[in-house]
Amino acid sequence: MLKKRLIFTLLLQDGIFQLSRNFSLQAVGDIRWLWKHFAFHAIARSVDELVLLDVGRGSRASRDFARHVAAVAGGCFMPIAAGGGIRSRDDAFALLGAGADKLVVNTPLFTSPGLVEELAATFGSQCLVGSIDYRRGPAGTNVFYGNGAVSAGMPVEKAVRLAEGLGVGEIYLTSIDKDGTGQGYDFEVLRAVAGISSIPVIASGGVGDFDHFVAGMSLPNVNGAATANIFHFVGDGLREARDHLLAHGIELARWEAEFPAAPPRS
Amino acid sequence: MVTVVDFRMGNIRSVINACEYLGMPARASGDPEVVANSGMLVLPGVGSFRAAMRNLKGLGLAEALAEAVQVRRRPLLGICLGMQLLAEEGTEDGLTPGLGWVPGRVERFRFEDPGVKVPHVGFNTVRVVRPGALFAGLPEQMDFYFVHSYRLVCREEETVTGWADYHGRFVASVQRGNIAGTQFHPEKSQSNGLLVLRNFFASGGPDA
């Protein structure tokens, strides 16, 4: 049977990895630092999928991001979704050529729906993730794009239907309010979205401990649970999270703990 | 040295990365002479069966592969669409002849329940029924990453080495002599995939 997914998200700005809290960014380090100081290969070997997002606030050079994707992808042996700043088919080709298997689009859902449709037609829906960010408001939820800066003027349910209609294959749903807080996913909204979406949902924003993953993944139609919180899951943290999820009856893939030893570099 | 056949349709880089990680020198090539003379081959592939066969034939690679695989009997591993191309024919956009080295045809997943999503995407469990070159020394059940809308329907039971289940069983891996194939992506299946690739390289013999 098809398995659910434990996902790690890496946020990048100008080649530097970021920690995020309510979408405010704090620089952590570059890729060398990541592999060396966060035992990133332990994280990479413990997840079903990696999401790489360019969250740069200035104008993004997509070629540079593609290079960074290639640098990460080179040492990873699982599916990779990459996005942030995709504004053309060329941007998409660059990311796929760099080693990404899927594309992630956020702002284009609201500002360039034609592009989203074109990407779905060119690469297939299974290759396209619709990323939706939202905040809670007095009257419900409000969706934002442009790194959470611009209001889309609609609640999550409407944004999900919009994204489905444009041909994305899955929804990556992030609570801006919960992001980086470690308080757990916004379970109420997650459940509501999972209930109305006809495509799989990936939960994002708020994970602090293993039980948050379990809660999110126990919902039907929530196929993936993501975290970008690198500090919480350094070293063996994500491998332990996997074991915890499996012990709680969540169907995750299993693979051999021992990776073939890479031969020494000449 | 393993040659990853480049016919302009496939995630070549990930396959090369996996080969190099395992210490297997690898090169991508779309040159028929290089392919025909290769000691060991991987045929990747993502996309349409029809377009793939058109490219393989147009680039002289179908012939080059036949030389390497059928005449010189060098080991070949087809991955995803690459495995499907080994079949006698594909049914996407009408009938297209495949390389014809594995008896069977490639058909789209078809389900009565409209709620079942196609393509089949994600990690799923493979039940190994015959280890062969790919699964030697490995467990009988292993999870691998799949992403495909079409599946091989194989006419010859003995050729199937592994089955998976997606609302019904489908062929996950095949082997026929020096020719092997996986519907899943070993380069995207963490340690399990690397172990399968390592087995394939080990089966290559001294000339590989």
Side-chain angles (χ1 to χ4, degrees):
Chain A
M1 71 166 286
L2 214 48
K3 314 294 179 187
K4 295 207 173 190
R5 295 169 282 164
L6 183 61
I7 297 170
F8 196 78
T9 299
L10 281 172
L11 308 172
L12 256 136
Q13 179 168 232
D14 301 323
I16 306 292
F17 293 99
Q18 309 286 320
L19 208 54
S20 176
R21 187 181 170 108
N22 306 127
F23 280 32
S24 278
L25 302 175
Q26 186 192 327
V28 173
D30 68 12
I31 183 157
R32 271 179 310 270
W33 197 84
L34 197 78
W35 286 102
K36 189 172 174 199
H37 293 285
F38 275 102
F40 182 66
H41 74 270
I43 291 176
R45 290 173 178 193
S46 305
V47 296
D48 300 279
E49 192 161 321
L50 193 64
V51 173
L52 289 170
L53 296 178
D54 182 353
V55 293
R57 303 288 153 94
S59 72
R60 289 121 143 189
S62 17
R63 298 286 155 233
D64 285 342
F65 180 54
R67 267 195 308 110
H68 298 308
V69 169
V72 175
C76 293
F77 305 104
M78 83 305 240
I80 294 173
I86 295 175
R87 298 290 175 265
S88 69
R89 252 173 44 139
D90 280 351
D91 289 341
F93 273 115
L95 293 179
L96 295 172
D101 302 279
K102 297 184 196 174
L103 307 162
V104 184
V105 291
N106 177 327
T107 296
L109 294 171
F110 309 100
T111 62
S112 321
L115 172 65
V116 181
E117 287 176 321
E118 193 188 352
L119 294 175
T122 305
F123 302 106
S125 293
Q126 77 283 354
C127 199
L128 202 52
V129 180
S131 173
I132 293 172
D133 306 323
Y134 72 94
R135 290 184 175 89
R136 295 263 207 147
T141 58
N142 297 310
V143 172
F144 288 81
Y145 61 87
N147 292 312
V150 183
S151 170
M154 65 180 80
V156 270
E157 291 83 357
K158 189 163 173 205
V160 167
R161 294 232 187 281
L162 171 74
E164 283 176 356
L166 295 176
V168 308
E170 52 195 341
I171 301 289
Y172 184 94
L173 182 72
T174 303
S175 159
I176 301 175
D177 302 314
K178 292 287 200 175
D179 171 52
T181 63
Q183 293 166 2
Y185 292 128
D186 181 352
F187 199 69
E188 195 187 315
V189 170
L190 182 60
R191 187 207 268 121
V193 167
I196 58 118
S197 175
S198 65
I199 54 183
V201 176
I202 300 167
S204 159
V207 175
D209 66 44
F210 301 157
D211 288 323
H212 297 149
F213 285 132
V214 175
M217 283 219 239
S218 296
L219 290 171
N221 208 27
V222 175
N223 179 271
T227 183
N229 197 328
I230 197 160
F231 286 105
H232 269 110
F233 301 102
V234 177
D236 284 335
L238 281 175
R239 197 178 48 71
E240 285 166 11
R242 276 197 102 71
D243 292 339
H244 188 85
L245 282 158
L246 286 163
H248 280 77
I250 305 292
E251 276 294 330
L252 288 189
R254 294 168 205 253
W255 50 80
E256 296 293 296
E258 285 296 314
F259 273 65
R265 291 187 190 284
S266 49
Chain B
M1 169 75 78
V2 63
T3 301
V4 181
V5 182
D6 183 357
F7 58 104
R8 304 182 197 152
M9 290 175 69
N11 197 342
I12 305 265
R13 186 186 294 235
S14 300
V15 174
I16 302 253
N17 284 339
C19 296
E20 288 178 346
Y21 172 84
L22 290 166
M24 185 71 187
R27 66 181 159 199
S29 179
D31 182 326
E33 195 155 327
V34 170
V35 169
N37 291 293
S38 289
M40 191 170 234
L41 296 147
V42 172
L43 183 67
V46 170
S48 141
F49 190 104
R50 172 176 281 244
M53 284 312 301
R54 189 175 56 224
N55 285 12
L56 284 177
K57 288 188 171 153
L59 294 165
L61 291 171
E63 230 177 275
L65 281 165
E67 168 70 22
V69 171
Q70 298 289 83
V71 175
R72 294 163 183 250
R73 311 216 72 86
R74 304 316 308 175
L76 169 75
L77 174 66
I79 295 175
C80 195
L81 175 64
M83 176 184 98
Q84 295 174 355
L85 295 171
L86 303 172
E88 291 165 319
E89 65 186 4
T91 59
E92 187 176 4
D93 306 321
L95 286 179
T96 307
L99 293 166
W101 302 331
V102 167
R105 74 206 308 238
V106 176
E107 297 177 357
R108 193 177 167 80
F109 273 119
R110 218 159 251 116
F111 302 108
E112 273 181 34
D113 178 356
V116 178
K117 302 253 166 279
V118 175
H120 170 227
V121 188
F123 275 85
N124 204 340
T125 305
V126 172
R127 239 185 335 113
V128 178
V129 293
R130 187 163 69 81
L134 302 184
F135 302 101
L138 295 178
E140 213 179 277
Q141 288 202 66
M142 297 175 83
D143 294 341
F144 297 96
Y145 181 71
F146 291 85
V147 51
H148 58 119
S149 302
Y150 285 76
R151 31 81 78 74
L152 173 68
V153 178
C154 190
R155 279 195 297 106
E156 204 173 71
E157 189 88 12
E158 321 82 86
T159 296
V160 180
T161 56
W163 294 95
D165 189 292
Y166 185 56
H167 301 271
R169 77 171 190 175
F170 67 90
V171 174
S173 61
V174 295
Q175 184 171 352
R176 208 165 189 261
N178 56 312
I179 299 170
T182 61
Q183 181 62 72
F184 55 83
H185 286 269
E187 76 283 10
K188 299 272 163 191
S189 298
Q190 297 283 21
S191 54
N192 285 358
L194 293 171
L195 290 165
V196 163
L197 282 171
R198 188 173 70 169
N199 274 352
F200 173 65
F201 297 144
S203 74
D207 298 338

